[in-house]
Amino acid sequence: MTKIGVVGSGTMGIGIAQIAASNGCQVFLYDLNLSQSQQALARLQTLLSSLVEKGKITAQQSESIIQHIQICPQLSGLKDCDLIIEAIVENKEAKVKLFQELEEVVSNKCILATNTSSISITSIAAGLSIPERFLGIHFFNPAPLMPLVEIIPGLRTSPSLSEEIALLLKDWKKTPVKAKDLPGFIVNRIARPFYGEALRIVEEHLATPEQVDEAMKSLGNFKMGPFELIDLIGVDVNFAVTQTVYKDYFYDPKYKPSLLQQRMSEAKLLGRKTGKGFYDYTGTVEKVTPHRDEVLYREIFLRIISMLVNEAVEAKRLHIASDEDLEIAVQKGVNYPKGLLAWGQKIGYTKISETLDKLYQYYQEERYRQSPLLRLL
Ligand code: NAD
């Protein structure tokens, strides 16, 4: 596959274009707004120049990447592509309309893919005349740096397509995993309790964000604590993903969003991008060193890790991905120090199950129900 189309030249689109171009593919970049593509390419050029200055890439490599990206003012410029990856606004109608227009200009052999984080692949495919050639290829932000890519076939996707795309992504030095077309795919589903349970602990005044982060980092070796990560992702963006997953699982209480996070979003305390979230980034507030309470830290860690392991075990039970892919996904997509099934084994599934039993007894909430598989492991 040498000719790659990318539609949408925002955060993800330009990153995907950079990956394909770095791997010698000819990239055809289209955006509804032509100046958006021009600005994105100019920004990429600046970024590549700084990488040249730092000695990370050569001047020839930088030049070659830029030369491999061609901006197309019209969608028809993508007519000869072998694969087109869409990264436009997260709206089902807009995506279906775009793919219908693309089907008018490309050959029947062209593979069509979406980078959607939350829309059902099967539902977009239903609007296409050849749904068999359509699938999800979900990159993580920043796409050029994050190795993980989730490949999501829809119910009508041709069975051989996932493997073909996996080989291409491996050629691009990515780590592909295959996921079922269910809300959140792998990572956005099984990582939810990392944020959700942490928020709940703080909402209930059981610990401060600093203590929760310290507990996860010191006892679990997580590179970032939940609140540091939420501030990095954006309090609003993380909240939006939780809301979507909650709604798409027909309001399963396991994924219920946090009112604290809603209020923070409303207050525009969005994290790093606004200078203040759970932490202050303006440099005007002194950093608090949390009071280290070993018993509290252990409780926090066990509670959050048990919820995460339970989610991974449930994903295993539902065949959302292979065991291996479930483990790779959290390590390569959200930088966890080890896979969640490996955590389960290390701590002991019985201990995880007992922890969830205690939470369930205390709260009397469906949120803490166990995967039926957990007691069998
Ligand atoms: P963005 O807002 O940065 O960029 C979207 C671009 O698409 C804009 O330049 C816009 O002009 C263009 N666009 C909108 N409608 C269009 C249309 N009909 N035709 C052509 N171009 C159009 O968005 P983003 O953050 O890059 O996200 C793009 C997609 O990737 C979304 O589906 C999102 O859910 C998904 N995604 C985002 C992230 C992330 O962290 N940002 C991660 C994984 C997946």
Side-chain angles (χ1 to χ4, degrees), residues 86 90 92 95-96 99 112-128 131-138 150-158 161-162 179-185 248:
E86 163 275 313
E90 187 72 341
K92 187 179 137 189
K95 288 188 195 281
V96 170
F99 284 116
L112 298 176
T114 176
N115 183 48
T116 181
S117 313
S118 64
I119 303 169
S120 139
I121 306 303
T122 306
S123 76
I124 300 175
L128 273 65
E132 292 79 9
R133 60 149 125 191
F134 183 79
L135 81 172
I137 306 182
H138 184 218
E150 294 177 337
I151 299 175
I152 312 112
L155 289 192
R156 291 176 67 185
T157 304
S158 162
L161 204 52
S162 300
K180 248 192 195 172
D181 184 17
L182 287 173
F185 310 133
D248 290 354

Side-chain angles (χ1 to χ4, degrees), residues 7-13 30-33 36 86-91 94-95 98 114-118 138-141 237:
V7 184
S9 43
T11 313
M12 297 307 288
Y30 170 80
D31 196 289
L32 202 54
N33 179 353
Q36 175 75 27
E86 163 275 313
I88 68 165
V89 59
E90 187 72 341
N91 173 293
K95 288 188 195 281
L98 170 76
T114 176
N115 183 48
T116 181
S117 313
S118 64
H138 184 218
F139 289 83
F140 288 73
N141 186 14
V237 172

Side-chain angles (χ1 to χ4, degrees), residues 290-342:
H291 167 64
R292 194 179 172 89
D293 177 336
E294 290 303 332
V295 176
L296 177 68
Y297 278 21
R298 180 86 200 131
E299 274 175 26
I300 293 169
F301 171 69
L302 199 56
R303 179 165 167 172
I304 296 177
I305 204 79
S306 297
M307 290 294 275
L308 283 166
V309 171
N310 188 43
E311 203 53 48
V313 169
E314 182 64 354
K316 171 183 165 73
R317 186 179 78 90
L318 298 174
H319 294 250
I320 285 175
S322 67
D323 288 9
E324 194 190 352
D325 282 359
L326 287 173
E327 298 292 82
I328 291 171
V330 289
Q331 293 174 83
K332 302 285 183 186
V334 269
N335 269 327
Y336 285 7
K338 65 166 120 233
L340 292 170
L341 299 174

Side-chain angles (χ1 to χ4, degrees), residues 312-318 349 370-377:
V313 169
E314 182 64 354
K316 171 183 165 73
R317 186 179 78 90
L318 298 174
Y349 285 116
Q370 289 184 39
S371 165
L373 182 59
L374 193 57
R375 290 184 207 276
L376 305 177
L377 290 173

